[in-house]
Amino acid sequence: MPAPDPEADPRVKAVFDDIRLTRKTDFINNMWRWLAFDPALLERTWREVKEVVGKPSLIDPLTKEMIYIAVSVANNCSYCVHSHTAAARARGMTGEQYGELLAIIGLAGKTNQLATALQIPVDEVFDAAQSGQPGR
């Protein structure tokens, strides 16, 4: 449970103020309120979120949110599924895109489990360690 007045700590207030400024809202969601018990953890986590998800990059913001949904489903984080689904919808995700995303998540989960259960070896052409280049 969060502290009754987490912003009494100047470090927490600074992060919350930056969240408000960055997101252009007065709303501070529960994730940040609960993390405020440890100002250093709150600061590190917010800094990383801004760096990885908040910064313009080669991956567009909607795709980032959809990836976050998929990983949150895989990790069974209901809070994150809800919050990132709301964020994806705010970034323009349609119902049809959401349905397709859920189909992909479901299929990926199934095929991941089958490959694990069958102990299928990685094909040499897929093995990033063999190519000398990560992700290739």
Side-chain angles (χ1 to χ4, degrees), residues 29-67:
N29 65 44
N30 283 339
M31 182 70 169
W32 304 114
R33 291 184 179 286
W34 259 252
L35 285 175
F37 82 96
D38 181 341
L41 177 62
L42 175 69
E43 289 167 338
R44 282 191 310 271
T45 305
W46 175 242
R47 187 171 45 251
E48 192 171 3
V49 166
K50 282 178 57 175
E51 178 68 25
V52 175
V53 182
K55 235 174 146 176
S57 69
L58 298 175
I59 299 174
D60 67 271
L62 175 56
T63 301
K64 288 180 184 182
E65 292 298 344
M66 293 171 82
I67 292 167

Side-chain angles (χ1 to χ4, degrees), residues 16-28 46 54 91:
F16 283 12
D17 286 346
D18 192 43
I19 291 170
R20 290 181 184 104
L21 179 67
T22 301
R23 294 185 168 173
K24 298 175 179 65
T25 181
D26 286 333
F27 180 68
I28 302 295
W46 175 242
R91 294 192 180 280

